[in-house]
Amino acid sequence: MLTTHPFDDDKLREECGIFGVSGAEGAAALVALGLHALQHRGQEAAGITSWDGNQFHTHRAMGHVAGNFDRDEVIRALVGTTAAGHVRYSTTGETAIRNVQPLYAELASGGFAVAHNGNISNAMRLRRDLVRRGAIFQSTSDTEVIIHLVATSQYRTLIDRFIDALKRVEGAYSLIVMTPEGMIACRDPLGIRPLVMGRLDDTIVFASETVALDVVGADYVRDVEPGELVIVKGTELSSHKPFAPQSPRPCIFEYVYFSRPDSISDDRSVYSVRKAIGAQLAIESPVEADLVVPVPDSGVPAAIGYAQQSGIPFELGIIRSHYVGRTFIQPGDKVRHLGVKLKHNANRELIKGKRVVLIDDSIVRGTTSLKIVQMMHEAGAAEVHMRIASPPTRHSCFYGVDTPERAKLLAAKLDVGGMTDFIHANSLAFISIDGLYKALGEARRADINPKYCDACFTGDYPTSLTDQDELTPVDQFALLEERVG
């Protein structure tokens, strides 16, 4: 079996996108639109839960938002003025409807639905403790741990039980929670995963990215702050900050790859940052060449920046078909090789005889880069130079990103010279970690905590990793199999 996404199968993948609406007639329809804009953050499954003032309604499905939530009968069944939705991309865990969010449970205080972007890094330990105390889990998702912690908390009010639960978890989370009392949106104390708030007339909207606000016509108000809980009851807003203040560490890879380029993150245009990364890469790693060619589509903004800084012409040397869905081809090396070209194909007349600089956002296992370089050579390129708009990815992420185990990361096994040989390029270079920060207008200082979470590049994890540090190798393997965000 071959899927026709040969250049997409070796990317770091964000696990989830979340979207919530409070105080709008037909809230579920707005959520469906918002999830369309966040589809890039999770393409395996989608779900929406609504509240009509008396009961909750949920529809969850495998696959994309389109085809599942563009049918009138589905949206009409999700009645209510409050709704939350989720798009999901799991890691190596089980692909099953029971793991599709929002997750819902009936607590003593009433219904409780939660949509989560991130990863709880002590979820396995908490889960085992809860099971020993009699908890019965219905999914393999770390998100369900939060529900059980809320249910078993000894505090009196729901909000206090929720805060109590959050104080027991480690890792990264952006959450949208629905209860009969209202909607809660919150981020972990370090703000590792993004969450923004918008307003559409009297309607409050929460989303993983500002582009989802644009799609529904909502105005961006502000980011939900790290460690903040925003509670919405009707049209009334209140803010709670129950955690001790910490220096925020948002994920730096949002700027490199995860966020859509038309989003705004921390008052910065993602597109402009990616162009600045490309320009810095040209300063750090120049090369004599005839063309700058992006690996579509994520490499385009950085390639524009590289071309503008270097003065080398920007050209679309790889053409991507946006009309090819998932195609299945019988095994066989020759047919598999031909199937690769269904999705991406070299612009042969442009490439032939040219010295080409390929710009991509990252190298993970290296298999994608190998295919792209090979494609350029087969198209007749005289030289193929690879430039990467992020530092080498040497460490796994445990904060809600699907990353291979470290042993499978090419940069964890080989130096740059070895990686160059592996992908058969004439040269290979990555932007430095200092250069990445410079493109963001920051400086990474060794004597203080960096402003971003850059653990995938540096190994500097900003939180405890209980499940990784304390469990046996067998348990760690099981964790990789069950981590589904």
Side-chain angles (χ1 to χ4, degrees), residues 50 113 118 140 163 292 325 341 433 484-485:
S50 67
T140 59
I163 291 170
V292 174
K341 297 181 180 180
I433 188 67
V484 291

Side-chain angles (χ1 to χ4, degrees), residues 358-396:
L358 286 171
I359 308 293
D360 204 358
D361 57 87
S362 61
I363 291 181
V364 184
R365 296 177 180 88
T367 53
T368 292
S369 300
L370 177 61
K371 292 175 185 177
I372 298 169
V373 172
Q374 180 182 4
M375 179 180 285
M376 293 294 99
H377 284 307
E378 290 176 350
E383 297 176 7
V384 182
H385 303 273
M386 197 94 181
R387 296 294 181 267
I388 306 300
S390 65
T393 303
R394 295 192 172 99
H395 304 272
S396 298

Side-chain angles (χ1 to χ4, degrees), residues 100-296:
V100 181
Q101 299 185 31
L103 295 184
Y104 177 80
E106 287 285 348
L107 307 185
S109 56
F112 187 93
V114 57
H116 171 207
N117 173 28
N119 190 68
I120 306 304
S121 58
N122 63 337
M124 182 172 282
R125 175 196 255 193
L126 291 170
R127 184 186 182 105
R128 287 181 171 177
D129 290 344
L130 287 161
V131 169
R132 290 190 188 103
R133 290 159 49 193
I136 300 173
F137 281 76
Q138 301 298 316
S139 76
T140 59
S141 171
D142 60 342
T143 308
E144 192 177 357
V145 168
I146 297 172
I147 295 175
H148 285 279
L149 292 175
V150 173
T152 57
S153 173
Q154 299 302 303
Y155 283 83
R156 186 177 62 85
T157 68
L158 176 62
I159 188 64
D160 286 337
R161 292 200 299 272
F162 183 54
I163 291 170
D164 181 43
L166 295 183
K167 287 183 175 180
R168 297 182 59 190
V169 303
E170 300 170 356
Y173 55 81
S174 285
L175 302 170
I176 296 176
V177 173
M178 294 171 57
T179 77
E181 299 178 21
M183 178 174 282
I184 307 169
C186 66
R187 291 173 76 189
D188 67 79
L190 294 176
I192 298 173
R193 301 259 64 86
L195 190 62
V196 299
M197 180 170 63
R199 185 180 287 274
L200 178 61
D201 298 323
D202 292 331
T203 300
I204 302 300
V205 183
F206 298 101
S208 292
E209 293 183 38
T210 61
V211 67
L213 302 180
D214 298 339
V215 166
V216 300
D219 294 323
Y220 167 76
V221 175
R222 64 178 178 86
D223 286 16
V224 176
E225 296 180 15
E228 180 185 22
L229 279 70
V230 178
I231 301 174
V232 187
K233 295 183 178 180
T235 59
E236 296 182 4
L237 284 176
S238 61
S239 172
H240 300 255
K241 296 182 179 179
F243 305 102
Q246 300 185 51
S247 298
R249 297 281 298 274
C251 174
I252 201 168
F253 218 89
E254 291 286 344
Y255 291 102
V256 174
Y257 176 69
F258 293 144
S259 292
R260 267 181 43 167
D262 45 343
S263 282
I264 304 296
S265 182
D266 195 23
D267 295 325
R268 292 183 174 95
S269 160
V270 174
Y271 177 79
S272 296
V273 170
R274 288 179 187 167
K275 282 183 62 180
I277 291 172
Q280 182 64 28
L281 184 57
I283 293 170
E284 293 184 357
S285 301
V287 62
E288 292 187 6
D290 303 305
L291 304 175
V292 174
V293 173
V295 177

